[in-house]
């Protein structure tokens, strides 16, 4: 594993610090997991692939059986480690971000019931404060990577922008169209790092000579609440999809286009799918005689024998989808 060597000067020794990470040393150096890099005005996302959003086909929400493939696909973001953390209600910023992305996909498509929602506000659990709003114009097929992407816009609720939209922002809030998504410990800071990468991956505009990124040599600009992490170069560009919705048109000068994708675990670093040989009988915890068989009704529980299945049926029949 590569470490970082920090040279403090001729009178001080070098300090070798390993990077921090979810499966690395937690006390290591904190690094931005979604860096934006480049030279001069040529910036790009380091580890999130580029997309030409306008050329990607749009998902038809009226198509049959969307839920049968979209829900399992987006739900497969979490690794085995992250699922265990979630089950034990442990804090992990990346896991929280993935949960929020899952919520955005499910609610913007309406595949889990109820009307589709297209405006999402990230609301901090501790402070109940919100400084980031997403408008989802379309859900598209990412043909390059065999996944999906939300074609949307981000509205930072900074003091300056709130002053400019104060006369009509209340209409959006009162309409009930905003879906509040609660974000937890460390998640809002992770979103501040992720949003610039989601913007850079799909931009068609150029950074100008007065770009805040270039002047400050920093991306994102800030991780603090109510401070915009983005530069202003892309604000108001490519907003045709936003203008199609009457209630959204007034926000066109203040938003920046971005592409929100699922963040899948990396299989060579973490276990992504559970080994089938690791499954155990739901009753006796045995390995199978000779192999486990899943309930044909729900396919969620497994039994080593017909005897164990019959024994568990009084309990399981209330949960089975058969």
């Amino acid at each position: 594993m590569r470490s970082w060597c920090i040279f403090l000067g001729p009178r001080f020794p070098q300090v070798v610090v390993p990077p921090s990470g979810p499966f690395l040393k937690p006390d290591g150096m904190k690094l931005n997991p979604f860096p934006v890099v480049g030279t001069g005005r040529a910036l790009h996302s380091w580890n999130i692939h580029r997309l030409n959003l306008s050329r990607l086909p749009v998902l038809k929400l009226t198509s049959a059986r969307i839920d049968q493939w979209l829900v399992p696909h987006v739900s497969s973001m979490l690794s085995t480690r992250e699922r265990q953390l979630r089950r034990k209600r442990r804090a992990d910023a990346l896991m929280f971000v993935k949960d929020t992305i899952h919520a955005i996909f499910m609610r913007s498509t309406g595949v889990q019931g109820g009307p589709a929602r297209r405006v999402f506000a990230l609301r901090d659990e501790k402070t109940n404060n919100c400084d980031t709003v997403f408008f989802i114009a379309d859900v598209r097929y990412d043909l390059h990577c065999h996944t999906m992407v939300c074609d949307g816009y981000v509205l930072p609720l900074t003091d300056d922008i709130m002053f400019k939209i104060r006369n009509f922002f209340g209409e959006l809030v009162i309409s009930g169209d905003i879906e509040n998504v609660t974000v937890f410990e460390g998640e809002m800071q992770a979103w501040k790092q992720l949003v610039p990468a989601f913007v850079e991956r799909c931009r068609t505009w150029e950074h100008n000579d007065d770009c805040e990124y270039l002047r400050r040599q920093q991306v994102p600009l800030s991780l603090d609440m109510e401070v915009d992490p983005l530069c202003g170069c892309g604000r108001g560009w490519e907003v045709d999809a936003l203008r199609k919705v009457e209630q959204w048109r007034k926000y066109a000068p203040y938003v920046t286009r971005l592409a929100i994708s699922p963040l899948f675990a990396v299989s060579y670093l973490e276990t992504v799918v559970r080994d089938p040989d690791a499954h155990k009988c739901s009753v006796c915890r045995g390995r199978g005689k000779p192999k486990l068989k899943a309930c044909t009704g729900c396919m969620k529980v497994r039994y080593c024998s017909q005897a164990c299945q019959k024994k568990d049926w009084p309990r399981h029949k209330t949960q089975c989808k058969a």
Side-chain angles (χ1 to χ4, degrees), residues 104-147:
I104 291 174
F105 270 92
M106 294 300 101
R107 297 174 192 177
S108 63
T109 56
V111 294
Q112 290 189 326
R117 296 298 187 94
R118 292 301 180 100
V119 186
F120 299 90
L122 303 186
R123 189 167 297 279
D124 185 68
E125 180 198 31
K126 288 186 177 180
T127 64
N128 199 35
N129 193 12
C130 169
D131 75 342
T132 303
V133 174
F134 294 130
F135 297 86
I136 306 301
D138 291 299
V139 179
R140 298 177 180 268
Y141 293 97
D142 179 357
L143 302 180
H144 308 79
C145 291
H146 307 282
T147 184

Side-chain angles (χ1 to χ4, degrees), residues 249-314:
R249 293 176 185 171
K250 298 175 182 179
Y251 300 95
Y254 313 107
V255 300
T256 305
R257 195 179 190 185
L258 81 171
I260 301 175
S261 287
L263 300 175
F264 297 101
V266 182
S267 59
Y268 57 81
L269 291 177
E270 296 193 86
T271 303
V272 178
V273 179
R274 187 178 181 184
D275 184 357
D277 294 333
H279 289 298
K280 297 180 180 180
C281 175
S282 296
V283 177
C284 69
R285 311 305 293 167
R287 294 290 184 180
K289 304 173 184 178
K291 62 180 183 179
L292 296 175
K293 293 184 178 180
C295 170
T296 56
C298 64
M299 302 300 292
K300 290 185 176 180
V301 296
R302 296 171 176 83
Y303 303 103
C304 66
S305 63
Q306 191 174 12
C308 281
Q309 183 179 18
K310 289 182 177 179
K311 183 177 180 181
D312 190 48
W313 180 243

Side-chain angles (χ1 to χ4, degrees), residues 170-224:
E171 299 174 6
L172 188 63
V173 176
I174 296 174
S175 68
D177 292 336
I178 294 183
E179 184 82 5
N180 286 299
V181 181
T182 303
V183 296
F184 300 95
E185 180 182 347
E187 184 182 354
M188 188 60 78
Q189 289 72 30
W191 272 107
K192 298 276 186 178
Q193 295 172 324
L194 181 57
V195 165
F198 277 165
V199 169
E200 290 297 321
R201 69 184 304 206
C202 65
R203 69 176 174 88
T204 57
W205 40 268
E206 296 290 336
H207 289 281
N208 56 52
D209 293 332
D210 196 37
C211 175
E212 294 93 331
Y213 290 164
L214 302 182
R215 285 194 282 108
R216 296 173 55 178
Q217 291 293 297
Q218 181 179 333
V219 183
L221 296 178
S222 176
L223 301 182
D224 296 333

Side-chain angles (χ1 to χ4, degrees), residues 92-106:
D92 184 271
L94 182 57
M95 177 194 67
F96 291 147
V97 168
K98 291 182 179 183
D99 265 344
T100 297
I101 292 176
H102 179 275
I104 291 174
F105 270 92
M106 294 300 101

